[in-house]
Amino acid sequence: MPTLIKCPEQIRSVLTSLEISADLIAARSLVLHPEAQELVVAAIGDDGREHLLAPEAAAKWREMSAAALSDGVVIEIGSAFRSVDRQAEIIRAKLAEGLSLDAVLCVSAPPGYSEHHSGRAIDVTTDEGAPLEPEFERTRAFRWLSKNAGRFGFALSYPAHNPHGYDYEPWHWCFRLTQV
């Protein structure tokens, strides 16, 4: 099980180490996503990797992927839960590749602000093309998700021109908690 960072001071420290200011977070209206307190295996990838989600999201993912398959559409998890530490590693790696912080933050959320921390977000892949590319929107999987994901509590998080400044991510879907 991953080591969870729950303390806002720890998140601020990570953001400071990456030179991500509180002003940038506020300007983009980003929402803090605490790390999930309970995770279960939602799916196991072909590579044997366990994809962890919060229990309710995992159950709904399994229902949704089975429904898609019964309609002849393959949807799989490419990425699910991600810790604050892992998000920081991703940002550091992209910076080390020479990308600017602004460019990195168009494709990756700052640590503490990724929906993946919540255990409710998934990056969906399919057998129809390259994973995690905008062309995903031209797949049967995307069309199926657009029509059906809401029935299972999932919504597209980052449409084109979203207010958070992220690039369009047709593969990124998040389970929205049931309202009481």
Side-chain angles (χ1 to χ4, degrees):
M1 191 61 70
T3 302
L4 302 180
I5 296 179
K6 301 176 191 84
C7 176
E9 292 80 27
Q10 289 175 305
I11 292 172
R12 277 195 292 279
S13 175
V14 171
L15 293 173
T16 299
S17 75
L18 294 168
E19 299 181 7
I20 299 173
S21 70
D23 290 342
L24 182 144
I25 301 294
R28 291 180 57 181
S29 303
L30 300 181
V31 175
L32 185 66
H33 291 283
E35 290 182 338
Q37 297 298 303
E38 183 181 358
L39 296 165
V40 298
V41 176
I44 298 176
D46 292 339
D47 60 358
R49 181 173 161 210
E50 292 183 341
H51 298 290
L52 304 175
L53 289 173
E56 189 176 2
K60 290 299 185 179
W61 163 258
R62 287 188 289 270
E63 287 178 30
M64 184 169 73
S65 61
L69 193 56
S70 74
D71 288 342
V73 177
V74 174
I75 57 173
E76 298 176 336
I77 296 177
S79 181
F81 172 78
R82 190 178 305 142
S83 71
V84 170
D85 279 344
R86 178 67 183 126
Q87 193 73 15
E89 288 172 6
I90 290 168
I91 302 278
R92 285 188 184 99
K94 290 178 181 181
L95 293 170
E97 291 171 5
L99 292 173
S100 70
L101 183 60
D102 287 339
V104 170
L105 295 180
C106 285
V107 296
S108 295
Y113 295 85
S114 172
E115 288 182 334
H116 286 285
H117 303 330
S118 71
R120 296 181 291 111
I122 50 174
D123 290 337
V124 179
T125 63
T126 186
D127 57 357
E128 298 177 58
L132 311 181
E133 294 293 334
E135 292 76 23
F136 181 79
E137 78 172 353
R138 293 195 296 265
T139 65
R140 289 182 343 120
F142 179 75
R143 287 189 297 277
W144 190 94
L145 287 164
S146 296
K147 183 178 177 182
N148 297 289
R151 290 189 296 131
F152 301 93
F154 285 88
L156 179 67
S157 294
Y158 304 116
H161 313 293
N162 65 77
H164 305 295
Y166 296 123
D167 289 351
Y168 174 43
E169 294 189 351
W171 60 85
H172 183 98
W173 296 75
C174 191
F175 179 74
R176 307 299 181 199
L177 296 174
T178 307
Q179 299 298 318
V180 180

